[in-house]
Structures are given as structure tokens and as C-alpha cells.
Amino acid sequence: KDIEYIRSYYFNKKEDTRFSSSVGKFVGFTEQGVRNAADWNNNPSILSRAKAQKEVYCLNHVQIDYNNIL
């Protein structure tokens, strides 16, 4: 629904690379991050594993977290 899974990687306190489930791929923000993102996006196993994390972490726990908040 309106849930987005984001996984960020940092190096020297700067965001280097990010995976966003709404984009569906890795995005690099530094020179090294762009190279990492390109490598990870070209590897189908890494990309499919990252896409599956939305279901693992978000969709299975959203109802539990929502009920605890109320």
C-alpha cells in the first residue's frame, strides 16, 4: 500500500548508497556509491533479495505495529 522499504548504506557519515522499494533499485550518492549501485543492480540475486525485504520487514509487521500504536 503506502509502505516503503528503505535501506541506506553510509561511509564516513555520508549516505553512500540507498535501496528504495518504491524505486526498485539501488541509487548511489557518491562516486563509490554509484559504482556499488551499478554492480548491485546488475546482480539479479542481490536485487531480488532487496525487493523481497519489503514483504519480510514491512508487510508482515504493519498490522502489529499499527495495533500497538492505537
Side-chain angles (χ1 to χ4, degrees):
K1 298 168 186 165
D2 293 334
I3 298 173
E4 181 178 11
Y5 173 76
I6 297 173
R7 172 104 189 225
S8 297
Y9 298 89
Y10 291 85
F11 181 74
N12 285 341
K13 299 181 182 180
K14 292 183 182 177
E15 188 173 24
D16 191 45
T17 311
R18 177 190 301 165
F19 175 82
S20 172
S21 63
S22 64
V23 177
K25 65 179 183 175
F26 291 92
V27 177
F29 299 103
T30 63
E31 187 177 330
Q32 181 64 38
V34 170
R35 286 194 299 261
N36 288 341
D39 290 342
W40 297 341
N41 288 331
N42 289 327
N43 188 328
S45 66
I46 293 175
L47 199 55
S48 65
R49 186 176 16 178
K51 289 178 180 179
Q53 294 305 308
K54 178 180 178 181
E55 185 174 334
V56 171
Y57 287 109
C58 300
L59 299 180
N60 287 333
H61 296 96
V62 68
Q63 191 63 42
I64 295 168
D65 293 340
Y66 182 75
N67 288 338
N68 288 334
I69 291 171
L70 296 179

